[in-house]
Structures are given as C-alpha cells and as structure tokens.
Amino acid sequence: MTVLTRDFFDSFASSVRETEVAESLPPACYTSQEFFGFEKEAIFMREWLCVGREDWVPNTGDYYTFSHSGEPIIIARAQDGSLNAMSAVCQHRAMLVAEGRGNARGFLCPYHHWSYALDGRLVAAPAMSKTCNFDKAQNSLPKLKLESWHGFLFVNFDPDAEPLAPRLACLEPVMANYAVADLKGPQPGEPTVYPWNWKVMFENNNDGYHANRLHHGPLHDIVPSSLASFPELPEGTAGYYRLNGSTHPHASFNPTLKALFEVFPDLTEEERNRVLFVNLPPSLSMVVMNDMVLYLILDARAADSHGLTMGTLVTAGAMQDELYDLKMKMNEEAVTEIVGQDLHVDLMVQAGLNSRFAPRGRYSWQEGAQRQFNLWLVDRYEAGRAQLAQ
Ligand code: FES
C-alpha cells in the first residue's frame, strides 16, 4: 500500500504553521523507503548538494570522489584550472572510473580501458572501430552543474537548476566576517555511515532545544538554549541560520571553554559573543565559532541510512600554529563527547519513529529551526507532488 496519498501530502500543512502551533512531519517521512524514493526525485535530484571544499583539489589533475543518493560523483581540476563535476559511471558498461582521491592525467576505466579526460570527455575507446554509429562525443561522463559558495563545492543533477548563491543572499551579512572561503582544514576521510534518516541528523544538528538538556554540563552550557534565536528569512531561501548567544566572548567547546586558535579577526563585538549555526539542506550544516568552523556534509543513502563527513576549518595562521595538533585534539576530544550524546539520541529517535506510537510532536519556541526546516522541505515536497500528479 502506498504512503504517497493525497491525505498524506495534505497533512504536511500542520508542520509549516508558526512554531507555537506546528507539529512535526509524519513519522513515515523518516522511515518509509517509498517516501525516500520520492525524496530522491523531489529533493536530491533537484537541489544543490555539498560535495566538499574547493581546496581539496588545488592542483591540475587533483580529483576526489563522493556520492549522493547512490550516485557516484567525481570532482576534478582540469589542465585549464577549471573544476569539473561529473558522474563516475563509465558510459560503456557502468564500471566506476575512479575511486577515492588522487592526482591523475585522466580517468582510465580499468574494465575495458575507455579513457576519459579530467573534464569527462571520452578521449579513447579501444577496438570500437567496427561498432556502428559509435560517436565518442556522445559517450562522455555525464556532467553535473557545479558551484562554489564560501569555499564549499555544490553539485546539482538538474541541468536547469537555478544558481545557488542568489538564493543564499540573506545569509551573506551573517557569514561575511568569518571569511569562510579563506579558512583551511585537512580533507576528512571517507564518510561514516549511520543507520538513521538524514533528516533526524539534520534536525539534531540545529536543535537549540536539546543543548541545555541532553548536553547539560559545564562544557555545553556556555551556549545555552535560552539564548537561541531564529531570524525569519525570505521565502524561497535555500538556507537558514540560528544565532545562539554565549555566556562569555569567544566561547568554544573544549575544557578551557574559550577559543584555542587565532580568533577570526573581523568579528564584531556581537559576533564574539555568539555561535552561528548555518544550514543548507539537504546536505550541509555548519557550527561557526569564533576560531573554528565545524562542518557536516550529509549524503542520504536510504530511508534509514546516510553518510556523514565531518571536518574543521581555521585561519591559515592557525594551521601554522606549532600547537595546532594538540589544540585540535583538545577540541576534538571535547566535541567527541557531545557528538556521542547526539549519535545515541539519533539512533534511538529512529527506533522511536518506527514505532506505531511515534507522534507528530509539538514544538518548543527553542525549536524554531525545525519549523524552518519543515518550510524548506514542504516547499519541495509540494513541488515533487505536483510532478507526480502530471
Ligand atoms: Fe568502462 Fe568497459 S565498463 S570500459
């Protein structure tokens, strides 16, 4: 029996009311594989998806692979310095032409040696001279749209997608002084796969309500739930943010409770006394402190599975700090404890969502971000539903 009924879609309306009267989305949005298939078309094949940082591929020939919704992707810097995003699927018989990361002059499919340039063009295909109507130009790796925003790279599977940056204009004033495009950090390893819905993770990343509860204690109480605010943003925005005041300037989640690295130099007094949480659904969340940005890139894989790539950014000067490794270790150990609490909750929430008693729950005012996320989602669900009806 399908979950994609008219009543099901109509029921989303109660999730986008004002926070005081809204309720969460139906549990099936988090547990149904059929609904995940709908989301794949309605969201992941249409929206801009974060695939990493531009400085992961600084030199000609540098490449890395990533995936979203089961689609293998290559990001590569070509001879002319341009960045290219393309499918990794060989157009002969679907072998993946690249795995992991590295530097190469092109991509040679290991199976039958079709050879592709760094921009995806098929340049050679052995023993195909007797094949009728075979045109190399028609067999390049499918290209994806690619855009960079504050040093983060985004791809889009929809060739007609509107550019991303103009729809993020409302984030620019709060992002400007952090100069995120200039920040540096090591390329993280392969994504960690977690057995819960991508939205459970996304909601947890930006939940101001749980901060003082789940994470109660001296390490996290420096950014209290009571100082959270959720600015209203223009309709159609591709992202949103939460501002969360801190109990003292340069607050940071480590045993000193203060920034360990060089503080971003252009911050205002107000910015020195808060943490910024930025969300670009469906794939990027950032925790922007005064000396460090923690970013999370989500790649949804199934109704109950997604990959998570987590990285950190600091100033170029902080990267040169002799104590960089030690300071980062202090930060990571402290954050690991907080993240561990979140991961446990996420796993248990997914179990609860699978229950017949799973609620459509009501929100606290400190969960304004959940309603913002609902607005973002339901807009796209409605557009996807209209497509289904055609
Ligand atoms: Fe790639 Fe045959 S599958 S060359």
Side-chain angles (χ1 to χ4, degrees):
M1 201 166 66
T2 181
V3 298
L4 303 178
T5 63
R6 177 183 294 194
D7 285 351
F8 183 67
F9 282 109
D10 287 347
S11 77
F12 299 166
S14 57
S15 296
V16 293
R17 294 184 190 135
E18 292 303 316
T19 308
E20 295 77 10
V21 289
E23 60 182 353
S24 55
L25 287 164
C29 293
Y30 301 80
T31 58
S32 159
Q33 193 56 29
E34 183 190 19
F35 188 74
F36 180 73
F38 165 77
E39 273 186 329
K40 181 168 177 178
E41 296 308 318
I43 292 181
F44 301 109
M45 292 301 112
R46 291 194 189 170
E47 285 300 325
W48 289 93
L49 306 170
C50 187
V51 290
R53 293 279 296 173
E54 198 168 334
D55 62 7
W56 294 357
V57 278
N59 304 312
T60 297
D62 285 349
Y63 74 89
Y64 67 88
T65 57
F66 206 83
S67 76
H68 272 290
S69 301
E71 292 289 344
I73 298 163
I74 303 173
I75 305 295
R77 195 174 289 278
Q79 260 86 12
D80 63 358
S82 65
L83 273 174
N84 296 275
M86 61 210 118
S87 168
V89 178
C90 180
Q91 294 302 290
H92 178 221
R93 277 174 41 209
M95 171 68 186
L96 301 191
V97 303
E99 299 172 69
R101 63 185 73 163
N103 184 278
R105 292 169 63 183
F107 302 107
L108 179 69
C109 180
Y111 203 174
H112 313 96
H113 286 197
W114 283 24
S115 166
Y116 299 89
L118 290 164
D119 63 2
R121 277 175 301 114
L122 179 64
V123 290
M128 292 294 287
S129 56
K130 294 183 182 172
T131 304
C132 296
N133 301 324
F134 177 73
D135 180 2
K136 283 209 301 272
Q138 300 299 314
N139 287 275
S140 297
L141 298 175
K143 292 290 285 274
L144 309 180
K145 292 192 101 168
L146 179 68
E147 196 172 318
S148 180
W149 182 80
H150 291 273
F152 286 99
L153 293 176
F154 291 80
V155 299
N156 201 312
F157 288 97
D158 178 358
D160 300 321
E162 295 291 324
L164 175 65
R167 293 188 295 135
L168 293 172
C170 62
L171 288 177
E172 296 306 332
V174 288
M175 291 283 293
N177 292 342
Y178 296 91
V180 173
D182 299 331
L183 301 182
K184 306 287 177 210
Q187 182 174 354
E190 291 297 303
T192 305
V193 180
Y194 291 112
W196 53 86
N197 186 267
W198 69 277
K199 297 186 293 299
V200 170
M201 179 63 104
F202 212 91
E203 290 169 353
N204 174 250
N205 290 345
N206 195 30
D207 175 13
Y209 192 25
H210 79 293
N212 269 136
R213 283 89 190 185
L214 177 67
H215 303 309
H216 173 63
L219 187 62
H220 205 292
D221 289 349
I222 55 171
V223 185
S225 302
S226 58
L227 297 182
S229 63
F230 310 93
E232 275 296 321
L233 298 173
E235 213 171 295
T237 180
Y240 53 92
Y241 63 94
R242 162 164 64 106
L243 300 174
N244 212 122
S246 53
T247 54
H248 56 266
H250 305 158
S252 186
F253 302 116
N254 66 66
T256 73
L257 307 181
K258 296 203 81 166
L260 295 175
F261 293 114
E262 175 185 20
V263 166
F264 303 136
D266 297 329
L267 300 185
T268 63
E269 199 55 32
E270 206 179 351
E271 287 165 340
R272 289 169 189 271
N273 284 280
R274 72 184 185 204
V275 177
L276 167 67
F277 296 81
V278 176
N279 293 282
L280 273 61
S283 59
L284 179 66
S285 268
M286 281 187 273
V287 181
V288 184
M289 289 170 274
N290 280 194
D291 64 334
M292 186 170 67
V293 175
L294 175 66
Y295 63 86
L296 302 97
I297 304 173
L298 276 70
D299 65 279
R301 299 181 178 204
D304 60 356
S305 169
H306 69 278
L308 179 70
T309 303
M310 210 151 90
T312 50
L313 301 171
V314 295
T315 64
M319 284 289 285
Q320 305 304 322
D321 187 339
E322 296 183 321
L323 295 173
Y324 170 86
D325 286 339
L326 274 176
K327 289 178 178 179
M328 191 53 84
K329 205 169 161 196
M330 270 178 81
N331 278 313
E332 282 173 356
E333 277 178 3
V335 171
T336 297
E337 184 179 323
I338 295 169
V339 171
Q341 293 165 337
D342 286 324
L343 296 180
H344 176 70
V345 161
D346 290 339
L347 184 64
M348 295 295 115
V349 164
Q350 188 71 28
L353 287 165
N354 274 304
S355 162
R356 67 180 58 207
F357 300 114
R360 294 194 66 180
R362 300 296 305 281
Y363 294 122
S364 155
W365 70 266
Q366 292 172 359
E367 292 171 287
Q370 310 308 353
R371 189 228 169 206
Q372 285 175 317
F373 188 34
N374 291 346
L375 283 169
W376 189 96
L377 287 167
V378 172
D379 256 8
R380 283 139 185 95
Y381 292 160
E382 287 300 333
R385 173 198 199 178
Q387 289 266 318
L388 274 184
Q390 282 172 8

